[in-house]
Amino acid sequence: YTSVNVAIDIECTTSALKVLLHLKPLLCLIYMLPIFFMAYVFVLSGNSMIIYLVRTDPKLNSPMYFFLHNLSFSDIVYTSVSIPKMMSVFLTDEKTISKTGCFLQMYFFLSTGTTGRALLTVMAFDRYVAICNPLRYTTIMTRQRCILLIFASWGFGAFLVLPITIWATQLPFCGPNIVRHMLCDHSSVLTLACIDTSRNSIFSLTLALIAILSTFLLILISYICIGKAMRKMSKAQQLKVAATCGSHLIVACSSYISASFVYISYRVARFDPDVRTVIAVLYSVLTPLLNPIIYSLRNKELQDAMKRAFCRCTIASKINSKTVPSVA
């Protein structure tokens, strides 16, 4: 069974749409492909812009932007393991994915999603130190410690989901191997196994709760401490802290709320599987899509960095145009 291909069901969203797709198959191509394409382009461009600004602008040389740079990179990887395959399914008649490709997609999708939450936790800790211990900030958040936190975040995501992925690869799949999803989701793949997978489900749920609850509690504790510190500040200082933490808090809330909806949908037996698929796909696209928007709109330092980068490009283009010799 190692050479069995896993078919991906791409019958878009709701039961009504399934009926329409049998009559007009081009509807999926006309409506879904442009949405996924535009979302993917925006995720790549927005997060790449943040990575470029942090790497090139000396004024963004701080731990907060170092962590944001890594979060943007994880969002790019997170969407790149799922959206391109979805778009290729829309564009071609090849609606299958190899067994190896399926489990690789599953692993990187889960690990980068977990890494993203770990990075949000590290960013919350950074804000806690900056606000509650401002005099010791530079001694606590050293370059070495920041790199160690980054390695810990990526390691947390890489190793936490490894056992459930390896265990899933050992299951026998007898067919028909049709994944009723837009990607190789762990729960959807487990339903294809020929044996009882209740232990796999319990183990995966335990690790998922560890990934979500542990990071959520650490972020919550950080903001409780920040809230206590804000009570002793003046009104102007409170506004400054709110502006500093607002972007991160919005991103964290959107990530955990959408993740909660996804996990609830998988645990409710009567939940429509088509609606569950839509929620999961939106979850995989929405958070990486919103991150650059939220940070760009609410962060003045990033806005100023974008203006400086634009001015540098404009000046460089003018200098290049002046140095081009004219043809007599």
Side-chain angles (χ1 to χ4, degrees):
Y1 299 109
T2 55
S3 61
V4 171
N5 283 345
V6 182
I8 298 179
D9 182 8
I10 60 158
E11 292 181 329
C12 290
T13 52
T14 63
S15 299
L17 276 176
K18 283 185 177 179
V19 176
L20 291 174
L21 283 171
H22 289 299
L23 299 174
K24 298 181 180 180
L26 287 177
L27 281 179
C28 194
L29 178 65
I30 293 172
Y31 292 111
M32 298 301 292
L33 179 62
I35 293 173
F36 279 118
F37 178 74
M38 293 301 297
Y40 187 54
V41 168
F42 195 88
V43 168
L44 290 181
S45 58
N47 287 288
S48 297
M49 177 197 67
I50 291 177
I51 293 172
Y52 170 77
L53 291 176
V54 174
R55 283 186 170 273
T56 58
D57 197 312
K59 293 189 177 181
L60 299 182
N61 187 23
S62 67
M64 181 178 71
Y65 293 108
F66 179 62
F67 299 140
L68 178 60
H69 157 279
N70 277 269
L71 180 64
S72 296
F73 179 72
S74 72
D75 284 342
I76 290 175
V77 178
Y78 183 67
T79 52
S80 295
V81 298
S82 57
I83 295 182
K85 181 59 182 178
M86 293 181 198
M87 292 192 294
S88 71
V89 169
F90 290 142
L91 287 171
T92 65
D93 293 330
E94 182 62 35
K95 298 184 171 100
T96 61
I97 182 171
S98 67
K99 187 178 179 181
T100 302
C102 181
F103 285 113
L104 283 175
Q105 185 189 63
M106 179 195 300
Y107 172 73
F108 284 107
F109 185 78
L110 293 174
S111 64
T112 50
T114 306
T115 299
R117 290 190 188 87
L119 290 170
L120 288 174
T121 307
V122 169
M123 294 171 73
F125 174 72
D126 173 72
R127 293 299 83 203
Y128 158 74
V129 176
I131 294 167
C132 298
N133 296 281
L135 299 178
R136 298 178 57 202
Y137 180 76
T138 54
T139 58
I140 295 175
M141 301 303 294
T142 59
R143 182 70 177 178
Q144 292 80 4
R145 189 159 292 164
C146 291
I147 293 173
L148 183 62
L149 289 171
I150 289 299
F151 273 106
S153 299
W154 283 95
F156 180 70
F159 291 108
L160 188 69
V161 303
L162 192 59
I164 61 172
T165 307
I166 293 176
W167 198 0
T169 61
Q170 308 304 312
L171 296 173
F173 299 99
C174 309
N177 295 322
I178 301 176
V179 180
R180 299 293 175 180
H181 209 287
M182 295 290 242
L183 51 90
C184 285
D185 173 73
H186 182 264
S187 299
S188 300
V189 172
L190 285 186
T191 60
L192 307 179
C194 305
I195 61 174
D196 180 28
T197 58
S198 57
R199 288 188 298 175
N200 299 68
S201 299
I202 294 171
F203 187 50
S204 63
L205 178 61
T206 303
L207 293 182
L209 289 175
I210 291 173
I212 293 176
L213 293 180
S214 62
T215 53
F216 174 76
L217 288 174
L218 289 173
I219 292 174
L220 183 63
I221 291 170
S222 298
Y223 275 103
I224 289 174
C225 295
I226 290 172
K228 290 181 178 178
M230 286 178 65
R231 295 172 60 184
K232 303 175 184 179
M233 299 178 182
S234 63
K235 193 71 174 178
Q237 289 176 319
Q238 289 178 353
L239 292 174
K240 186 177 180 180
V241 169
T244 304
C245 300
S247 300
H248 175 265
L249 194 57
I250 293 172
V251 169
C253 288
S254 64
S255 175
Y256 283 95
I257 290 172
S258 56
S260 300
F261 276 112
V262 172
Y263 283 101
I264 289 171
S265 70
Y266 277 107
R267 302 304 155 189
V268 178
R270 296 182 180 179
F271 212 94
D272 190 340
D274 298 311
V275 177
R276 182 187 297 131
T277 300
V278 175
I279 292 174
V281 171
L282 287 177
Y283 164 66
S284 66
V285 177
L286 189 62
T287 305
L289 189 68
L290 289 177
N291 287 357
I293 298 175
I294 293 169
Y295 277 106
S296 299
L297 291 179
R298 294 187 56 87
N299 194 300
K300 190 176 185 302
E301 290 181 344
L302 269 181
Q303 294 174 3
D304 294 339
M306 282 189 281
K307 292 175 184 177
R308 288 192 294 271
F310 178 76
C311 292
R312 286 198 301 269
C313 293
T314 305
I315 293 170
S317 63
K318 288 181 179 179
I319 292 173
N320 291 334
S321 63
K322 288 179 181 178
T323 55
V324 174
S326 59
V327 178

